Amino acid sequence: MIERKLTPFEVVLLVVGLAAAFLGFQLINKVYTSQTELNWLMVIAIFNWLTLLVLFISLSLEVDNSKKTLEQMKKLTEYFEKKKK
């Protein structure tokens, strides 16, 4: 199995995703406790926050998938170069 290191992009993505999750929850919670009712603006805010989290997760998965694809392409290239000789 191939061991790979975390790249700076992945670390930044993780930190931003966790910060968005935590700060978004805190902000929505603070507004909800001050208003004590659920209105359309709260529904929109929660939906946007959840959409942002889904986008961060899908971006992270896509980066991981592209790295695996790159590794497979390198292996195939090496294999075909060896077979060609």
Side-chain angles (χ1 to χ4, degrees):
M1 185 166 190
I2 298 173
E3 292 184 28
R4 59 181 197 89
K5 297 179 182 178
L6 285 177
T7 62
F9 176 74
E10 290 174 329
V11 173
V12 168
L13 185 64
L14 176 66
V15 169
V16 170
L18 290 175
F22 180 74
L23 294 175
F25 176 76
Q26 291 297 326
L27 181 64
I28 291 170
N29 193 24
K30 184 183 281 189
V31 170
Y32 180 73
T33 55
S34 69
Q35 291 184 0
T36 65
E37 64 182 44
L38 193 64
N39 55 20
W40 279 110
L41 291 177
M42 283 292 297
V43 172
I44 292 170
I46 292 169
F47 179 75
N48 286 337
W49 176 66
L50 290 174
T51 304
L52 183 66
L53 290 180
V54 168
L55 287 175
F56 276 120
I57 291 169
S58 64
L59 178 62
S60 176
L61 290 174
E62 187 60 35
V63 167
D64 188 48
N65 189 21
S66 65
K67 284 187 178 186
K68 287 179 183 176
T69 304
L70 178 64
E71 289 297 321
Q72 288 177 351
M73 293 299 290
K74 285 180 181 178
K75 286 181 181 179
L76 282 173
T77 305
E78 290 174 3
Y79 173 75
F80 285 126
E81 284 179 359
K82 287 180 182 177
K83 191 162 185 146
K84 187 177 180 181
K85 293 179 182 180

